[in-house]
Amino acid sequence: MAQPNRTNTPSRFMKGLRIALVLIISGAVATFLIKMRPRPMRQAVRHLPVLVETMEVREITQNMIIRNYGTVRSGETLEITAEVHGKIVEMAPNFEEGEYFPKGAFLMRIDPRSYRLTLDRLRWEIQRLDAEIFKIGQEQKNLGMSMDIAKEDTLLAESEYERNRSLATRKVVSQTQLDQTRQRWLTSRQKAQEIENSLALITPRINLLKTQRSSTLTQMQAARLDLERTEISAPFDCRVAEKRIENGQYVAVGTRTASIYNVGIMEVEVRIPPRDIVWLHFGSGKSLSLGGNPPAGARVTFNAGDRTIQWEGFVSRIKGRMEEKTRTLPIVVEIKNGHPNTGHPLMPGMFVELEIVGKAVKGLFLLPQETVHEDNTVYVVEDGSVHIKSVNVLRRIDNLLYVNKGLRDQDQVITRFPGIVTEGMKVRVKPKSDPGGASR
């Protein structure tokens, strides 16, 4: 049986002793270092006031702007109807829906030949009547001269008869000669009477011809008017909304040929809710204006995708009463410069936004919505302290509030405050030029 090796026992003991010695020395060094470490110095904690952002409010006088939406329409739409009958013989080459025509531009023509012939016939009739009146007038002059001669002849015959009758009483002339002179005198009187009767009929004949001439002249004027109506022109700067006939088509009186609208008069009707009616300035009578003159201005904006187009307008009129169903007030805004020549024509059917200038209100402060809290209070910084002030919000528009009570000019209103506010709390105001937020 083999015996254990006793020579390894001392070496194992020495290894254990060295390990224990190293651990003891390390512990002693660590204990020494801990005791010898420097003690931290006590410093007082500095509590800085909360950093806030403010804005300086200024008292202003502001016209209230009433915003609304509406659809553009033409202020004047016209149905072009044929005033004479006939065949359409000519049309403007570009007479199509959507085309623009300036005032007086040619649109279409109805066959004018029969109307021109009628006018010529009546013109000739006027000439005939004028010649007839001249003829009768000359006849009147001739009868007048004949009447003078007949009167003179009658006087001579009468004088001869009276002389013969005087001689007959003295038996100087015979009864036969007396009868002959009397016969001649009566014949002369009869001739003068016939001429006088003819003269009396001249005036009625002339009056009849003049009446016929006046009637014919009226017919000629009507014929000239019908001839003018064969050509249809644009009554104003217009655009064709609808075309209803074609070239060569026969039209009767009253036939609708086209529908046009005036591009110089564009309107937008909007309905103002009760909350905004109070800001409209009603002039005397029916007018709706700023102090009566000039009319209330309005800006019309059309959103054209990546850009907006604007026109200037004015409130032209209000409707007679409020809408019963919506309880709104209809008003009509007229656009000044919606003409095609302005570069951006305003067309019916456009959905636009309107900004109507209302009453001017004094003593207002314009604040962002986040500066006014739910209980209608604002935080104002005075001499580094916060003061809570109650304000009266007169009007809200989008994210802006109009305040008319509770603030003073140049008050510093807190716009951002991280935390809870108490009356008199000390704060620091963030400098306007310090984006990092360091205090002064």
Side-chain angles (χ1 to χ4, degrees):
M1 183 175 180
Q3 295 292 328
N5 188 5
R6 298 182 179 272
T7 59
N8 295 330
T9 302
S11 62
R12 292 179 179 177
F13 175 76
M14 291 303 294
K15 288 181 179 180
L17 184 61
R18 285 195 294 269
I19 292 172
L21 184 61
V22 169
L23 293 175
I24 292 171
I25 294 172
S26 300
V29 172
T31 303
F32 175 76
L33 292 175
I34 291 174
K35 290 182 178 182
M36 295 302 295
R37 67 181 180 180
R39 294 181 177 272
M41 296 179 64
R42 294 180 177 270
Q43 294 183 353
V45 179
R46 182 184 178 188
H47 296 283
L48 295 176
V50 177
L51 185 65
V52 297
E53 295 183 12
T54 64
M55 63 174 290
E56 183 180 88
V57 294
R58 303 304 298 262
E59 184 176 344
I60 61 173
T61 298
Q62 181 71 41
N63 287 103
M64 294 291 102
I65 303 298
I66 299 97
R67 290 187 175 89
N68 215 309
Y69 296 87
T71 302
V72 178
R73 70 186 185 194
S74 174
E76 185 176 6
T77 302
L78 179 65
E79 292 285 342
I80 298 180
T81 59
E83 296 181 87
V84 294
H85 63 85
K87 181 180 178 182
I88 302 294
V89 294
E90 185 181 2
M91 299 183 70
N94 58 335
F95 188 74
E96 298 292 342
E97 293 182 3
E99 290 293 334
Y100 166 75
F101 292 91
K103 182 178 180 179
F106 169 76
L107 299 180
M108 67 187 72
R109 179 177 289 108
I110 299 172
D111 191 351
R113 291 176 295 178
S114 61
Y115 300 99
R116 191 175 291 119
L117 291 173
T118 300
L119 182 61
D120 291 342
R121 179 180 59 79
L122 293 171
R123 188 180 292 115
W124 296 333
E125 181 65 16
I126 290 289
Q127 293 177 0
R128 186 191 69 80
L129 291 171
D130 287 340
E132 190 70 20
I133 292 173
F134 177 79
K135 177 184 176 182
I136 296 177
Q138 190 63 40
E139 183 180 342
Q140 187 179 29
K141 291 180 181 180
N142 297 337
L143 287 173
M145 296 174 62
S146 298
M147 185 64 185
D148 293 338
I149 296 172
K151 285 181 178 180
E152 186 176 352
D153 184 64
T154 301
L155 289 175
L156 291 174
E158 184 180 6
S159 297
E160 184 180 2
Y161 169 69
E162 291 296 333
R163 185 175 61 253
N164 287 338
R165 190 175 65 171
S166 177
L167 294 173
T169 57
R170 292 181 292 169
K171 306 299 183 177
V172 175
V173 295
S174 63
Q175 185 64 37
T176 301
Q177 289 178 329
L178 180 63
D179 292 340
Q180 287 177 351
T181 55
R182 178 178 174 79
Q183 181 65 38
R184 180 175 176 278
W185 175 48
L186 292 175
T187 302
S188 180
R189 287 179 59 187
Q190 183 178 6
K191 184 177 180 181
Q193 185 63 47
E194 290 176 355
I195 295 174
E196 187 177 354
N197 291 341
S198 297
L199 281 173
L201 293 175
I202 290 293
T203 300
R205 288 172 60 192
I206 292 178
N207 290 339
L208 178 60
L209 291 174
K210 287 183 177 179
T211 302
Q212 293 177 357
R213 187 184 188 281
S214 298
S215 177
T216 305
L217 185 61
T218 302
Q219 295 177 38
M220 187 174 70
Q221 292 173 346
R224 183 180 291 111
L225 186 60
D226 286 342
L227 182 61
E228 293 174 356
R229 288 170 174 170
T230 60
E231 181 174 321
I232 301 176
S233 302
F236 40 70
D237 295 337
C238 65
R239 197 180 292 276
V240 179
E242 185 178 1
K243 176 184 176 183
R244 296 194 176 98
I245 48 92
E246 296 295 338
N247 197 7
Q249 183 176 337
Y250 178 85
V251 293
V253 176
T255 301
R256 295 181 178 181
T257 60
S259 176
I260 61 175
Y261 63 87
N262 192 335
V263 298
I265 305 177
M266 288 295 172
E267 296 179 344
V268 182
E269 182 177 322
V270 294
R271 287 168 169 78
I272 306 301
R275 67 176 181 273
D276 290 334
I277 292 178
V278 295
W279 306 120
L280 295 174
H281 195 299
F282 289 87
S284 60
K286 302 177 182 178
S287 63
L288 174 63
S289 61
L290 286 175
N293 187 28
R299 177 176 296 173
V300 180
T301 304
F302 175 67
N303 185 3
D306 57 344
R307 65 188 182 120
T308 57
I309 306 172
Q310 293 183 337
W311 299 269
E312 296 299 323
F314 62 93
V315 177
S316 62
R317 63 186 184 276
I318 62 174
K319 291 298 186 71
R321 62 179 182 178
M322 294 185 65
E323 292 286 345
E324 295 182 1
K325 294 183 178 179
T326 60
R327 300 299 179 187
T328 55
L329 177 66
I331 68 173
V332 178
V333 173
E334 186 173 321
I335 291 84
K336 298 178 181 178
N337 56 350
H339 197 276
N341 294 335
T342 59
H344 300 292
L346 193 62
M347 301 182 67
M350 283 184 172
F351 187 73
V352 294
E353 178 185 6
L354 288 94
E355 295 176 322
I356 301 170
V357 181
K359 291 180 180 178
V361 182
K362 298 180 180 179
L364 293 179
F365 298 91
L366 187 60
L367 298 177
Q369 184 175 354
E370 60 268 16
T371 62
V372 181
H373 304 280
E374 294 181 357
D375 55 352
N376 283 349
T377 59
V378 297
Y379 305 149
V380 178
V381 178
E382 295 181 3
D383 299 327
S385 299
V386 176
H387 297 279
I388 303 175
K389 293 187 176 182
S390 297
V391 295
N392 180 63
V393 178
L394 184 67
R395 193 178 183 213
R396 299 174 183 265
I397 299 180
D398 298 332
N399 293 325
L400 298 176
L401 305 179
Y402 287 102
V403 173
N404 65 340
K405 293 181 181 179
L407 291 176
R408 296 176 301 178
D409 194 38
Q410 298 183 350
D411 274 350
Q412 298 291 327
V413 177
I414 296 177
T415 57
R416 292 185 181 180
F417 190 94
I420 300 175
V421 178
T422 58
E423 178 69 25
M425 175 185 288
K426 296 294 182 180
V427 293
R428 292 178 299 147
V429 177
K430 179 180 177 181
K432 299 298 181 183
S433 60
D434 185 3
S439 63
R440 290 193 178 113

